[in-house]
Amino acid sequence: ITPRIIEAIFAGIADSEDHLEFTVKISYIEIYLEKLRDLLNPASAMGKNTTRLKIRESPKGVYIEGVTEEYAATPEDVMDIQKRGSANRKISSTAMNMESSRSHSVFMVQVNVNNTETQSKRSSKLMLVDLAGSEKVRKTEAAGMQLKEAQEINKSLSALGLVINALCEGKGHVPYRDSKLTRLLSDSIGGNSKTCLIVTSYAFFLEPRRNTQYPPLLANVPKISKTNPKSTKNAPSPNTK
C-alpha cells in the first residue's frame, strides 16, 4: 500500500503547474510501551536517547517536537527512509507469530507547496499507521516483557475504540489524551481529515471480534475536510535533515 500511495503523491507533484513548488518531508516513529521512539534516530530507537519526543499542538495541528525529518525528492527516497526506520522497530516471536510487532508505528509524510505567483503556502500531512494487533495472552503465551508489551498494546487499542465511540456519539469530551496513539492521531481521526482503516485477513484470524470492531464505527465519524488556510506562524522546527 505505502509504495502505491507514495507513487501517487509524486505523480501528482509531477503533473502540477510550474508555479507550484513542492517539498516532501518524512518522519517515522513507533509507540512502544507508551513512549515515542524516533525510528530515524538510532539512539532514540534503541531507547538510549535522553531527549524525549513530545506531542505538541499548534494552529497547523498536532506534531512531534524534536522528531527527525528527512527530505525526499523521489519515491525511492521515501521507501529507503521507510526501510531504514523499519529495521529499528521492536519485534519478537510469540506462539502466534514469528515476527510480532510490539509497537504501533506511524510513518508521517508532510507535503508543503509554495505558489510562486501568489506567494501563498499550503501544507498537508499523511499519517500511515501500522497498528499492532490486539493480543490474547492465552494464545500468544506472552510472559515477562512480552506480557507488558501486550498489555500496553491492548490498552492503547481500547483507548482508540473509546475515542471513535465518543466521536460517533457526538460527545463533548473526546478522550484523546488517554494514550499517545490517540493524541497523536487526534487531528487525523476527528479533525480536518479523511481517514481510511484497513483490517488484514490475518488480524481477523487472530482476533476477529476486537480487530473488526473499528471500521464500521469509524465510518460513522462525521468528516468535513477542507483546504487548509494559509499559515502565518510556524511550529517549532523538528530535527530536519
Side-chain angles (χ1 to χ4, degrees):
I1 294 175
T2 301
R4 294 168 63 185
I5 292 174
I6 299 304
E7 289 283 355
I9 290 174
F10 279 91
I13 292 174
D15 292 339
S16 64
E17 299 177 0
D18 292 339
H19 62 274
L20 299 178
E21 297 178 343
F22 290 84
T23 57
V24 178
K25 292 189 291 186
I26 307 297
S27 299
Y28 197 9
I29 64 101
E30 71 174 352
I31 304 172
Y32 176 69
L33 298 178
E34 270 302 286
K35 294 181 180 179
L36 300 181
R37 290 189 173 188
D38 189 340
L39 295 176
L40 301 181
N41 181 334
S44 175
M46 295 177 64
K48 297 180 179 180
N49 194 348
T50 57
T51 303
R52 283 192 175 184
L53 301 178
K54 296 181 180 180
I55 301 173
R56 303 292 193 189
E57 294 182 29
S58 76
K60 289 185 175 182
V62 177
Y63 68 98
I64 301 175
E65 183 180 70
V67 72
T68 300
E69 288 187 329
E70 296 192 14
Y71 284 99
T74 66
E76 291 74 21
D77 289 344
V78 177
M79 299 315 300
D80 177 67
I81 293 170
Q82 185 189 49
K83 183 177 180 180
R84 285 191 285 111
S86 295
N88 293 322
R89 284 198 66 183
K90 281 283 185 178
I91 61 172
S92 63
S93 176
T94 70
M96 295 293 292
N97 196 338
M98 287 296 293
E99 293 187 353
S100 173
S101 298
R102 313 312 295 165
S103 66
H104 307 301
S105 72
V106 185
F107 190 72
M108 296 167 281
V109 182
Q110 181 175 331
V111 181
N112 300 309
V113 57
N114 176 43
N115 188 320
T116 58
E117 291 184 352
T118 64
Q119 302 305 311
S120 62
K121 297 180 180 180
R122 302 289 182 187
S123 179
S124 63
K125 67 178 179 180
L126 174 66
M127 309 281 276
L128 296 170
V129 185
D130 180 15
L131 295 174
S134 173
E135 293 188 8
K136 281 191 175 180
V137 176
R138 64 179 176 82
K139 290 184 178 181
T140 61
E141 300 178 5
M145 181 55 71
Q146 283 190 352
L147 176 60
K148 185 176 181 180
E149 292 166 346
Q151 291 170 337
E152 291 295 339
I153 289 170
N154 291 341
K155 181 180 176 181
S156 62
L157 290 175
S158 294
L160 178 61
L162 291 174
V163 164
I164 294 175
N165 276 322
L167 290 170
C168 289
E169 296 172 5
K171 293 182 178 179
H173 172 68
V174 180
Y176 289 120
R177 292 178 177 268
D178 284 0
S179 77
K180 292 288 197 311
L181 175 67
T182 51
R183 190 178 178 200
L184 182 59
L185 298 182
S186 59
D187 60 353
S188 299
I189 301 174
N192 174 23
S193 64
K194 293 184 178 180
T195 308
C196 177
L197 181 62
I198 300 173
V199 179
T200 66
S201 57
Y202 185 67
F204 178 82
F205 169 74
L206 290 179
E207 279 291 334
R209 185 187 65 82
R210 181 171 293 190
N211 286 325
T212 57
Q213 67 179 321
Y214 303 121
L217 289 174
L218 194 60
N220 294 323
V221 176
K223 290 288 181 182
I224 303 176
S225 58
K226 59 184 182 297
T227 302
N228 295 325
K230 178 182 177 182
S231 299
T232 57
K233 293 182 180 180
N234 294 323
S237 298
N239 299 326
T240 304
K241 291 185 180 179

